[in-house]
Amino acid sequence: MKRGLSLSAGIAIAPAFRMDEVAFPGLADSVNPATELVRFDAACEAVAADLDRTIQHVAKEISEPAADIFRGHRALLRDPALVGKVRSIIEKEHLDSVRALRKTLDDYSKLFEQISDEYFRERMADIRDVIGRLVNQLSIASGLQKFDTHTPVILIAQELLPSHAVMFDRLKVIGIVTETGGSIGHAAILARSLGIPAVSSVVGVLKETRSGDLIIVDGREGVVLVNPGPEVESAYRKQEREYVDLRNQLIENRDHAPITADGVSLEFLANVNNMFDAASAVGVGATAVGLFRTEFIFLTHSGVPTEEEQERAYRNVIEASPNANVTIRVLDLGGDKQVPYLGSRREANPFMGFRSIRLMTDYPELFRTQLRAILRASRYGHISVMFPMISRVEEVIELKLLFEELRKSLIEQGLQLPDRIPFGVMAEVPSAALCINEILDLVDFVSIGSNDLTQYLMAADRDNPKVAHLVDPCYPAVLRLLRGLIGACVERQKPVTLCGEMAGSPRCLLPLLGMGLRRFSMAPAFVGSMKEMAKTITLADARQAAEKVLSMRTLAEVRDYLNRRVRELCPRVAELEVG
Ligand code: PEP
Ligand code: MG
């Protein structure tokens, strides 16, 4: 049994699928070099053609220097040293292309480790990227198609990056285990949005598991078992069934409006990444999408999505969403959500660096294109536009002007746009939270990003398991900042939503409701249990909880108190929560 950090609740039992191993069931230990070389060359050609398209597009939409990065990758595909090495491994060792590429990558990594020069280290990142593209191409071309995509698997990885989301289209992933990644990091968010159990910080799991091993993931307890034996397996299978039954019962809440025991109406909205999440939001009875994270479209694209591609993607999400009502968030890349064409690749503090709307100074066209695509898509439903990572009021002034300029120019071109598109910002940097009154003068609504707000207030990286104990929104300092923020919005009668992970936590419902919050945007998987929790509490319970936790000294006091209240008020929901 291995212990880790609970990221997403639930129990899953299935064979392991190691991300780094790209398992090909039935693959022979030794291949015929002649046919394998043909396969490898075809993959090189396909990747080269893909890169050519990307180069053209990036040069036009981003900049020539950004396109140079891809030109470099393209050149590597012709590099006789790199390609020759892979070919020679295939020829001499009779290995398949993927294994030959992995061996090449290992050899290069060892070589580059000995070089301290920054320039050469950057070259290693390029090699890794090109090899990754080739492995991906080979997997698409044969491996993952051979892998039965209906067989459930538990994904085992060093860390889960947002760009790995593409794997979820090709495999039936029912659980995730990683060696690193924090509880409100993007991998955790991805797992929760898919409603699958996940555990991180499981040290050594990659070393000790092979694809095909039977894995049990208990996301509530943060426990992972490898090849546990029949008795343990059957005990967990029973728990898995009970868990699923309980969740299914709560799905019946989908037809009930969220309302407290004393009749206070709440709004439960959904956080989505794509049209499939939007459809789940309808399924669980969310009334709108409160946060559409558009960056996943960019992270899963091999180049940069065009204005037309983006318009189509946004339209698909809008049309699949509850009441076609969507708050679209403008691109929030950077930090751990890296694409190769933006920003500097090495920053000492990426979360505090050149990320999100800050990228706009160097890549104005990228953002203008996105805003135009969003405006075009506004014809298909009721949309609001929201800008992330605001740290100064000056940014809001500039963004508002830009948005208005683009809106007018599309109208002048004859596009029929809605009369009003609500303009809002995220309050997720402490400076914005503290100057919220000045920001409220300029915006139609505010959405609180409690994940980033917590990481920045506590000065602790949300993706770093070493400091995970510091990144908890229940810490009194975070709660006190939230109280001021929510209070200011309520007083000014501006709609305020909270869309960080705490919005889907029944434990946090009590104090947030008590502070005056009524709009909660969460992963669709949580709507059922949040409705159940809402039914059992009153405003008096909530106000009492808020008052209590705001005066507490330590995180443990807050969590113990709130967990106890959830157990007392709503034991069914207490069963489902991450501990
Ligand atoms: C947040 O920071 O709370 C948030 C909702 O945005 P993200 O998790 O995408 O940074
Ligand atoms: Mg954020």
Side-chain angles (χ1 to χ4, degrees):
M1 181 190 286
K2 298 183 163 299
R3 289 207 164 267
L5 192 67
S6 304
L7 295 188
S8 174
I11 292 169
I13 306 170
F17 182 94
R18 280 180 49 151
M19 286 272 281
D20 61 328
E21 225 172 46
V22 190
F24 298 112
L27 190 80
D29 283 342
S30 164
V31 295
N32 174 341
T35 43
E36 194 56 31
L37 284 174
V38 172
R39 205 167 86 88
F40 176 65
D41 290 344
C44 287
E45 257 169 53
V47 171
D50 198 32
L51 279 168
D52 282 339
R53 282 190 293 275
T54 304
I55 291 164
Q56 269 190 2
H57 183 55
V58 170
K60 188 165 148 257
E61 295 278 336
I62 316 260
S63 66
E64 282 296 332
D68 283 342
I69 295 172
F70 295 103
R71 289 195 183 99
H73 292 177
R74 178 80 176 73
L76 274 175
L77 281 174
R78 285 195 224 102
D79 180 353
L82 178 71
V83 176
K85 186 169 170 58
V86 183
R87 290 180 66 95
S88 119
I89 295 174
I90 295 173
E91 273 169 347
K92 293 198 185 114
E93 301 183 34
H94 294 202
L95 287 182
D96 66 280
S97 309
V98 172
R99 285 183 211 165
L101 281 162
R102 192 165 311 119
K103 194 158 191 292
T104 307
L105 183 63
D106 285 348
D107 290 353
Y108 272 97
S109 301
K110 278 185 204 128
L111 198 69
F112 277 75
E113 260 166 30
Q114 294 155 16
I115 306 172
S116 58
D117 187 285
E118 182 76 7
Y119 172 78
F120 283 105
R121 281 185 180 267
E122 290 280 322
R123 301 300 295 158
M124 191 59 223
D126 291 330
I127 293 172
R128 196 171 290 120
D129 198 287
V130 169
I131 290 185
R133 279 174 186 266
L134 285 167
V135 170
N136 234 341
Q137 176 60 35
L138 288 156
S139 318
I140 297 165
S142 64
L144 289 177
Q145 274 166 17
K146 264 193 234 158
F147 197 88
D148 175 5
T149 51
H150 299 295
T151 307
V153 290
I154 310 267
L155 204 63
I156 313 273
Q158 174 64 32
E159 62 180 331
L160 194 64
L161 298 173
S163 54
H164 292 151
V166 70
M167 298 295 284
F168 294 88
D169 299 338
R170 304 200 195 129
L171 291 169
K172 188 163 186 232
V173 180
I174 62 160
I176 298 171
V177 181
T178 61
E179 294 226 359
T180 59
S183 67
I184 54 172
H186 290 97
I189 290 173
L190 190 66
R192 282 186 217 125
S193 78
L194 294 162
I196 55 182
V199 179
S200 79
S201 306
V202 186
V203 181
V205 70
L206 271 175
K207 227 192 237 158
E208 293 163 41
T209 17
R210 297 172 59 91
S211 289
D213 282 347
L214 187 83
I215 305 284
I216 297 178
V217 185
D218 181 345
R220 275 177 311 181
E221 302 291 333
V223 162
V224 176
L225 296 107
V226 183
N227 294 328
E231 279 101 40
V232 178
E233 184 188 336
S234 93
Y236 270 98
R237 288 218 182 264
K238 184 163 170 279
Q239 282 191 45
E240 182 192 22
R241 276 194 301 279
E242 286 167 2
Y243 189 88
V244 170
D245 284 350
L246 191 53
R247 264 226 187 274
N248 287 344
Q249 283 165 26
L250 295 181
I251 287 178
E252 288 161 14
N253 280 331
R254 80 182 146 228
D255 302 325
H256 304 293
I259 187 158
T260 62
D262 55 342
V264 178
S265 284
L266 307 177
E267 279 181 74
F268 287 168
L269 319 171
N271 293 351
V272 307
N273 297 327
N274 52 43
M275 59 192 275
F276 305 108
D277 297 346
S280 312
V282 174
V284 296
T287 44
V289 165
L291 167 64
F292 170 20
R293 291 182 165 103
T294 55
E295 50 279 3
F296 283 88
I297 293 167
F298 288 72
L299 289 164
T300 52
H301 197 281
S302 62
V304 187
T306 63
E307 188 168 324
E308 293 71 35
E309 282 174 318
Q310 289 186 55
E311 180 187 344
R312 212 175 313 124
Y314 304 151
R315 179 182 181 170
N316 286 342
V317 169
I318 294 167
E319 291 181 341
S321 292
N323 304 308
N325 187 330
V326 182
T327 299
I328 304 188
R329 179 173 75 182
V330 171
L331 210 47
D332 190 21
L333 289 170
D336 68 330
K337 292 182 282 188
Q338 293 288 351
V339 287
Y341 46 86
L342 291 184
S344 117
R345 294 210 238 148
R346 266 171 188 276
E347 285 186 291
N349 289 305
F351 275 112
M352 290 199 271
F354 195 44
R355 60 166 293 210
S356 195
I357 56 152
R358 297 170 181 185
L359 293 165
M360 220 176 263
T361 51
D362 285 16
Y363 308 101
E365 236 356 271
L366 179 76
F367 285 88
R368 293 173 78 93
T369 304
Q370 185 188 31
L371 287 171
R372 273 195 301 270
I374 293 175
L375 282 161
R376 285 180 189 279
S378 71
R379 294 171 292 172
Y380 307 111
H382 313 281
I383 71 143
S384 306
V385 174
M386 168 162 95
F387 290 84
M389 244 338 246
I390 299 294
S391 38
R392 303 199 303 180
V393 73
E394 291 88 327
E395 293 160 354
V396 187
I397 297 170
E398 279 171 29
L399 292 169
K400 222 176 148 176
L401 286 174
L402 172 68
F403 187 61
E404 212 29 51
E405 175 208 316
L406 294 171
R407 201 177 74 90
K408 285 209 181 107
S409 94
L410 284 179
I411 292 172
E412 273 161 23
Q413 286 169 32
L415 232 69
Q416 293 267 327
L417 297 184
D419 290 340
R420 213 181 134 263
I421 298 177
F423 173 97
V425 295
M426 290 194 67
E428 54 181 348
V429 178
S431 60
L434 291 167
C435 289
I436 196 65
N437 271 313
E438 288 70 17
I439 291 176
L440 286 172
D441 290 339
L442 299 165
V443 300
D444 299 309
F445 67 93
V446 164
S447 193
I448 302 174
S450 53
N451 305 336
D452 278 319
L453 195 60
T454 307
Q455 100 164 324
Y456 293 127
L457 192 63
M458 302 305 296
D461 181 339
R462 61 194 266 189
D463 268 326
N464 182 345
K466 286 261 186 262
V467 293
H469 59 290
L470 294 171
V471 195
D472 193 317
C474 288
Y475 187 69
V478 183
L479 295 171
R480 288 174 207 170
L481 189 62
L482 287 172
R483 174 189 44 188
L485 192 49
I486 296 166
C489 298
V490 171
E491 198 181 311
R492 299 280 297 271
Q493 298 183 353
K494 293 272 180 174
V496 54
T497 307
L498 190 142
C499 63
E501 291 305 290
M502 72 187 299
S505 159
R507 172 198 309 137
C508 298
L509 176 60
L510 277 165
L512 291 171
L513 179 64
M515 292 177 200
L517 191 74
R518 299 292 179 268
R519 290 167 58 89
F520 299 76
S521 192
M522 64 200 84
F526 298 124
V527 173
S529 40
M530 286 291 284
K531 283 187 178 179
E532 186 72 14
M533 183 72 201
K535 274 198 275 191
T536 60
I537 62 177
T538 65
L539 201 53
D541 294 327
R543 290 199 172 126
Q544 186 199 38
E547 208 178 300
K548 275 233 178 252
V549 295
L550 285 165
S551 65
M552 284 177 175
R553 268 181 349 127
T554 65
L555 176 64
E557 281 172 53
V558 176
R559 287 184 73 103
D560 289 351
Y561 168 77
L562 291 177
N563 286 345
R564 179 166 60 74
R565 291 301 281 149
V566 175
R567 281 197 303 274
E568 287 163 2
L569 293 163
C570 194
R572 278 173 100 190
V573 163
E575 285 275 295
L576 290 175
E577 270 248 30
V578 168

